[in-house]
Amino acid sequence: MKKKILISINPEHVDNIIKGIKKYEYRKIAAKQDISSIIIYETTPVKRVVAEAEIIDVLEFPPEELWEITKYESGINKKFFDKYFKDRKVAYAYKLGEIKVYDEPKLLIDYGIKAAPQSFIYL
């Protein structure tokens, strides 16, 4: 069975994911297990679990290659991308599919989680 992961995302990026501008979520570390979706925790000032994004694919490439593949639907600029993946040999991106925005944002404690994860946490 595929799992879900919960990740922390800054409000501006959450907004762009919901609007469909940002179709990739970039990460320095990818989940080792097969995942079906990302549960999105929106960081300060919101501090709530606000949506779920279907995972269509997980891309793994050197940063420059990943940028070339994803840049038109990245929702970020090249400078931000380069800074994030500085000195990295491998970069990951989750290709996002359908986004479900929750009517009622949830607290981390609703998932049995005490603090927002630095990278991700399996649910």
Side-chain angles (χ1 to χ4, degrees):
M1 188 177 102
K2 288 189 173 193
K3 296 194 175 236
K4 296 179 181 188
I5 57 172
L6 182 137
I7 61 176
S8 303
I9 304 177
N10 292 331
E12 74 174 283
H13 300 308
V14 172
D15 195 42
N16 285 334
I17 288 168
I18 291 168
K19 288 177 179 170
I21 296 166
K22 189 174 194 303
K23 302 261 189 204
Y24 292 93
E25 178 54 29
Y26 298 99
R27 293 283 140 168
K28 294 174 186 168
I29 300 166
K32 301 234 184 300
Q33 298 178 31
D34 200 12
I35 58 167
S36 60
S37 61
I38 291 172
I39 306 298
I40 299 171
Y41 172 76
E42 191 169 340
T43 60
T44 305
V46 178
K47 295 184 177 177
R48 295 281 187 278
V49 177
V50 297
E52 183 171 338
E54 170 192 28
I55 300 299
I56 295 173
D57 198 5
V58 182
L59 306 178
E60 177 182 343
F61 290 98
E64 281 305 313
E65 275 184 64
L66 185 64
W67 178 254
E68 284 305 312
I69 294 165
T70 63
K71 63 185 175 185
Y72 298 113
E73 296 179 310
S74 67
I76 59 171
N77 62 42
K78 181 75 162 70
K79 187 177 175 184
F80 184 92
F81 180 92
D82 288 344
K83 185 178 175 192
Y84 185 70
F85 287 116
K86 186 177 182 347
D87 300 327
R88 293 280 172 164
K89 301 273 185 268
V90 178
Y92 300 93
Y94 293 109
K95 181 165 176 51
L96 307 178
E98 185 183 339
I99 311 295
K100 283 186 268 184
V101 178
Y102 299 154
D103 292 334
E104 287 286 321
K106 300 174 174 130
L107 297 169
L108 285 174
I109 201 73
D110 295 336
Y111 294 86
I113 300 167
K114 290 181 172 61
Q118 284 299 308
S119 55
F120 66 88
I121 189 166
Y122 289 102
L123 295 179

